[in-house]
Structure formats: structure tokens, C-alpha cells
Amino acid sequence: MYIKHDYINVSKISISGEIDLSSLGTYKMDLISDPINANNIVDITWELTNNNYAYINEKTGVITVHTLPASGLTPTATVSAKLTKNTGSVLTTDM
């Protein structure tokens, strides 16, 4: 059975989450859609720029910091998200 419903188009996305990942552990990134009740989302994938300190689960947006940098170093990274709509179009954002 299929329940009929109307699609609400996502027009913009942004990433929310901790920006200071200075401890070992996991950090959850969230994707915020505009409008918040948009429902034409088919897939979301996550990426983290290559670095020696952390990785991101491409499906959940959870970052795992596995190594801390040497004292005095402050490495940076970029988190990116790609949202695919039911029309096939794609929105991207980064933080």
C-alpha cells in the first residue's frame, strides 16, 4: 500500500555540529534543511577533508577523532554534505 502525500521541496541546507574537535571521541554532524519539514530527500552523504586525525561515517555524519595532533599544532578540516532530492538534483554545503 502507498499513502499519498505531497512533497515539500528542500531549497537550502546547512551543517550544524561541534566545531572544536580537540578531544578523542565521536562528534555528530547534523544536516539542517530549509524548510525544516522538507521531505523530498532521497540520500545524504558526508565527507571530511583528508587528514591524519579523524574520519567521518559517510552515511551517519559521525566524526571519529582517533589521533590528537602534536602540541602546538592546530589542524583544520572541512566537513561537506551532499543531499540528493527525489528529482535527482543535488544540494551541497560545507563547514
Side-chain angles (χ1 to χ4, degrees), residues 48-94:
L48 182 67
T49 54
N50 288 339
N51 66 76
N52 297 324
Y53 309 103
Y55 61 87
I56 193 165
N57 181 303
E58 69 176 17
K59 291 297 178 189
T60 65
V62 173
I63 296 173
T64 300
V65 177
H66 55 79
T67 305
L68 295 177
S71 179
L73 294 179
T74 309
T76 60
T78 300
V79 176
S80 301
K82 179 175 83 170
L83 179 146
T84 304
K85 300 182 188 185
N86 63 348
T87 61
S89 64
V90 173
L91 297 175
T92 59
T93 188
D94 57 59

Side-chain angles (χ1 to χ4, degrees), residues 38-56:
N39 65 354
N40 67 327
I41 301 164
V42 174
D43 189 43
I44 298 169
T45 55
W46 295 88
E47 290 183 14
L48 182 67
T49 54
N50 288 339
N51 66 76
N52 297 324
Y53 309 103
Y55 61 87
I56 193 165

